[in-house]
Amino acid sequence: MQKYSAFELFKNSVSHHENWPRMWENPVPKKKYDIIIIGGGGHGLATAYYLAKEHGITNIAVLEKGHLGSGNICRNTTIVRSNYLWDESAHLYEHAMKLWEGLSQDLNYNVMFSQRGVYHLCHTLQDIRDNERLTYANRLNGVDNEMVDAEQLQREIPLLDCSDKTRFPILGASVQRRAGNARHDAVAWGYARGAAMRGVDLIQNCEVTDMVIENNTIVGVKTKQHGVIKADRVGCVTAGHSGVMAKMAGFELPVESHPLQALVSEPIKPVLDTVVMSNHVHGYMSQSNKGDLVIGAGIDSYLGYGQRGSYSIIEHTVQAIVEMFPEVSRVRMNRQWGGIVDTTPDACPIISATPVKGLFFNCGWGTGGFKATPGSGHVFAATLAQGKAHELAEPFSIERFHNGALIDEHGAAAVAH
Ligand code: FAD
Ligand code: PYC
């Protein structure tokens, strides 16, 4: 029997739609595009979708070196929340949250967005103070967040060990109840379908190897498989590869590429109907609709482009999980994988024009870009369409690394950088 990847099955199931063949068109049309987007991950596909839907720009190509959704968009642990500390990021992530709330209807594709709540555990008095501060700051920005004490937490999450017998007793938590998770590959597919149906060319197996720049203005990109493809504007949305792409254009970005890994257990009956994160013991867990326990922690501290991580991190993560949820200690691990994330000095993204005219970057989302996918695509589409930053994107310009207006979100990033 012929074996198909999940993506092949998806492709076959929808290829009757007249616009779908655009994704597999070969050879690539010899034309000049209005906009090229480099990177067919979540943010690139969302950008193409909103450019077509909201700005009526459809002469667009998304160039992806592998297959659509082969990067972080389909490797993440799907946590969606908007409880960031500073005004600039709270507004940006809350913009994304509002789009999440209508996304399945908008795309006419079920992205399984589930607002099951995300808890940030407090194990020390300082954790309580930090989370209270975050909660007050969020409320001032119209973002829901609340504190719960250990007793209430135990009632809400029976699986969590809130006793005083643990090494790092749990004193309480902040919880964003509108937060939750979603199905990551459905997000990539939904945006891809929505963009393709509006006429966007989604070109897979097309690796950008250089930028074509004349008089300090981008005029196209050089690709490994299809030579030069011309465009008036280029948006680079390549997550963990953004530093490499910036070098091609002749400038440097303050980003580092790190592995970030996660694992799932064997599927078990439902035991956890929410998302629990602890920065202190350093692990987080939810349960997928299939029954797997979805587990992760912080980045591997070394730099690298390998889409996998080291074993020591997994051991540390699993120790943290068993500390919080002793009842899962005998559950077996099923799979482990990694992605490459691009971190910035202030744990905030870069959505910005660059020293090269017509070339824009959207990167630096680090460990937290899945939740931002709709918002990131939405504001980047406006930025590319207008040739200047959308107002929510303005604070995230690369200028902030020159003028010092950093937006430090290490605390709210929730996983260690
Ligand atoms: P990607 O999907 O990585 O897209 C970038 C694309 O660019 C890739 O497909 C790549 O192949 C392509 N590309 C690169 N170079 C080139 C080139 N030269 N030419 C053409 N194409 C190129 N975030 C959350 O909010 N919540 C979470 O729970 C969460 N968990 C995570 C867990 C893990 C294990 C990982 C790895 C990440 C996690 N993240 C999470 C972070 C989130 O996944 C990323 O920030 C986000 O997906 C990055 O944006 P993207 O989807 O566009 O990236
Ligand atoms: O940003 O909430 C987050 C997150 C969880 C896991 C990785 N990132």
Side-chain angles (χ1 to χ4, degrees), residues 132-149:
E132 280 177 348
R133 179 184 177 211
L134 180 65
T135 301
Y136 300 142
N138 284 165
R139 288 192 187 173
L140 287 171
N141 273 319
V143 176
D144 66 306
N145 206 347
E146 65 189 82
M147 295 296 294
V148 291
D149 64 18

Side-chain angles (χ1 to χ4, degrees), residues 41-43 64-65 72-73 76-77 79 208 366-371:
H43 294 217
E64 165 54 48
K65 75 171 177 179
N72 294 312
I73 182 66
N76 67 74
T77 45
I79 296 176
V208 172
T367 61
F370 176 67
K371 68 177 79 60

Side-chain angles (χ1 to χ4, degrees), residues 50 91 271 299 336 358 361 389 393 416:
Y50 291 116
H91 294 159
V271 290
I299 55 171
Q336 174 255 356
F361 267 64

